[in-house]
Structures are given as structure tokens and as C-alpha cells.
């Protein structure tokens, strides 16, 4: 459950989940909605996959992601959206979270 | 999670829920009429039954019925699984709430009606996804 909370704590990942609620999407199609580098996007996808919230399916050269959330997890996503659970700074939601935290540590 | 681990987890979950229902029903029987009125015991038993639906309904959207995936579009498949999961979860919650708070003479009927409607909606949505017109 910890991994689910970790995944839902980031606004970019929440936005990915919301986009996937409409149906499965390719990685490129999803990345178009965000102003972030590809590796950052891949890291976000990896966190979501580790939390078992999405599933990746490789078709040729493209990877299609589809939602894999239980009802409770969807309800949690709704609550986090409503109450604005946010660990990354609000004004930099689309910045590179991993790179930023590494910079802050050094 | 591998297929065997998933099957084992489903089996263990089912057995835990069955055990909890048996223990709960036995506890209610032992506490009635000394500590609980028969009416309250009846309501609690119904609520327990309603809540026992939740663990199963909750994971439905995570499961992947291969037949539906082959037949319809992935988006339709996903929408169907989400609908079925939410419908049954809300039906289970409705059953428990009706059993607990509705007037006693209509509590059982109302609870069954709520869960029945949610089950019917889920089945109709599933049938529509499997046998309905194929979509892109």
C-alpha cells in the first residue's frame, strides 16, 4: 500500500492515471501531455508499474500503458485530487522530481 | 505477481472472508439476546454479508478477462471492468447501509434490491462488452 501512496503523491503520476482512465495510451501519446524529459516520464511510469496501478504492454516498438487500479485505489486517486495531497512543490509540478531532489541533497 | 501466486491469494482471501463470516455469525449468535437485541443482530449479520462483497468487487478492475480483451477495444474493456467493479462495490456498500439503517420491515428487501440492481447492471455491462457490437 505504501507504493500506492508514493505513486499517488505526485501530481504528474496522478495526471497520467487520469489520462489512462479514458483508455490505454501509448507512451509517446502520454508524454505529449507533459513538459518533461523522456527519462523522467519513464521513471514516473516505473513507479506506477511498481505500485501495480498501470500495466505496460509492448507492441512492436511502442509501449501501451493501461490502467490497472482497484476501486479503492481509484477512490484514493479521487481523494488525493480533491484534498491536493502533494509532495513535490506546487509551482513545479512538471519539473524533474528525481533530478531536483538529487540536486537538493548535494 | 505470477498466476499461481494470484490464484493462491484469491483462495486465501476467500477463505479468510468465509472464516470471518462464520466467526462473526457465531459471535452474533452468542451475544444474542444477552448483549444484542435479535433485530440488531439480524442487521449486523446482513451488513457483514454486504461488506463481504467488497474485497472481491474491489479487485475486479485489476483482473483481465481475456475474452473481453480479444473481442472489444482495450478502452471498452477497461471501461467495462471499472464499471463492474464500481457497481458491485457501491451495491455492497448500499446493501450494508440499508441493512443497518433502513426501517427493519424493509431493510432486507431494500438491501437485496440494491445489491441485485448493482449485480444486474454489472452483468448487463459485461454482456454488452462481450456480445455487443465490436468497436475500434
Amino acid at each position: 500500500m505504501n507504493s500506492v501512496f508514493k505513486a499517488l503523491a505526485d501530481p504528474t503520476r496522478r495526471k497520467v492515471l487520469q489520462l489512462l482512465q479514458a483508455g490505454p495510451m501509448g507512451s509517446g501519446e502520454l508524454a505529449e501531455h507533459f513538459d518533461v524529459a523522456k527519462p523522467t516520464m519513464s521513471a514516473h511510469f516505473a513507479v506506477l508499474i511498481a505500485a501495480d496501478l498501470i500495466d505496460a504492454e509492448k507492441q512492436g516498438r511502442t509501449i501501451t500503458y493501461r490502467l490497472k487500479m482497484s476501486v479503492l485505489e481509484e477512490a484514493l486517486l479521487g481523494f488525493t485530487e480533491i484534498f491536493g495531497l502533494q509532495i513535490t512543490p506546487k509551482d513545479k509540478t512538471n519539473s524533474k522530481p528525481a533530478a531536483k531532489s538529487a540536486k537538493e541533497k548535494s | 505477481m505470477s498466476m499461481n501466486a494470484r490464484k493462491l491469494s484469491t483462495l486465501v482471501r476467500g477463505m479468510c472472508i468465509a472464516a470471518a463470516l462464520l466467526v462473526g455469525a457465531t459471535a452474533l449468535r452468542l451475544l444474542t439476546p444477552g448483549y444484542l437485541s435479535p433485530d440488531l443482530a439480524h442487521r449486523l449479520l446482513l451488513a457483514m454479508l454486504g461488506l463481504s462483497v467488497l474485497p472481491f468487487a474491489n479487485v475486479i478492475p485489476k483482473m483481465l478477462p481475456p475474452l473481453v480483451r480479444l473481442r472489444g477495444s482495450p478502452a471498452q474493456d477497461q471501461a467495462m471492468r471499472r464499471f463492474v467493479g464500481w457497481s458491485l462495490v457501491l451495491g455492497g456498500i448500499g446493501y450494508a447501509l440499508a441493512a443497518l439503517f433502513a426501517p427493519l420491515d424493509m431493510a432486507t428487501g431494500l438491501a437485496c434490491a440494491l445489491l441485485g440492481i448493482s449485480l444486474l447492471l454489472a452483468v448487463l455491462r459485461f454482456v454488452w462488452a462481450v456480445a455487443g457490437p465490436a468497436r475500434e
Side-chain angles (χ1 to χ4, degrees):
Chain A
M1 207 63 192
N2 252 355
S3 58
V4 173
F5 282 116
K6 183 188 164 193
L8 293 180
D10 186 89
T12 306
R13 292 196 283 270
R14 288 206 299 269
K15 175 90 171 140
V16 169
L17 293 172
Q18 283 168 345
L19 288 168
L20 288 175
Q21 280 179 336
M25 290 171 102
S27 50
E29 203 179 342
L30 274 169
E32 279 172 14
H33 291 85
F34 304 94
D35 187 24
V36 294
K38 259 187 173 179
T40 314
M41 218 48 216
S42 298
H44 283 311
F45 291 143
V47 172
L48 289 170
I49 290 170
D52 206 24
L53 296 177
I54 64 170
D55 206 12
E57 202 174 322
K58 203 164 186 181
Q59 293 167 327
R61 290 181 65 188
T62 61
I63 300 173
T64 305
Y65 294 98
R66 70 171 190 85
L67 207 61
K68 198 183 167 194
M69 295 175 85
S70 69
V71 175
L72 177 66
E73 287 160 352
E74 273 202 58
L76 279 174
L77 172 65
F79 280 125
T80 50
E81 269 308 294
I82 291 167
F83 296 112
L85 173 67
Q86 194 164 313
I87 287 173
T88 52
K90 201 169 193 174
D91 54 335
K92 295 189 176 179
T93 52
N94 288 337
S95 64
K96 298 171 187 175
K100 190 174 181 297
S101 57
K103 210 184 243 180
E104 279 170 358
K105 275 178 194 170
S106 61
Chain B
M1 194 186 281
S2 74
M3 192 63 92
N4 278 343
R6 193 169 296 172
K7 278 181 185 171
L8 187 67
S9 145
T10 308
L11 182 69
V12 168
R13 186 170 52 232
M15 287 174 75
C16 286
I17 290 167
L21 282 175
L22 285 173
V23 169
T26 309
L28 287 175
R29 180 72 187 86
L30 292 174
L31 293 171
T32 311
Y35 297 94
L36 295 173
S37 69
D39 289 348
L40 182 59
H42 181 68
R43 282 180 186 275
L44 290 174
L45 183 64
L46 287 178
M48 234 167 44
L49 289 174
L51 294 178
S52 68
V53 174
L54 301 189
F56 297 105
N58 179 49
V59 292
I60 283 177
K62 265 192 190 287
M63 293 191 235
L64 196 63
L67 262 179
V68 182
R69 283 201 84 204
L70 287 175
R71 167 85 188 158
S73 72
Q76 285 295 323
D77 164 46
Q78 181 178 293
M80 183 276 295
R81 280 183 286 113
R82 288 180 64 211
F83 181 91
V84 169
W86 275 101
S87 170
L88 290 178
V89 163
L90 293 177
I93 292 172
Y95 186 101
L97 290 178
L100 286 174
F101 300 113
L104 194 63
D105 54 339
M106 58 183 289
T108 308
L110 183 62
C112 289
L114 287 173
L115 188 58
I117 289 168
S118 74
L119 188 61
L120 182 68
L121 287 174
V123 169
L124 288 175
R125 185 68 181 83
F126 179 77
V127 170
W128 174 252
V130 175
R135 289 165 288 262
E136 276 299 306

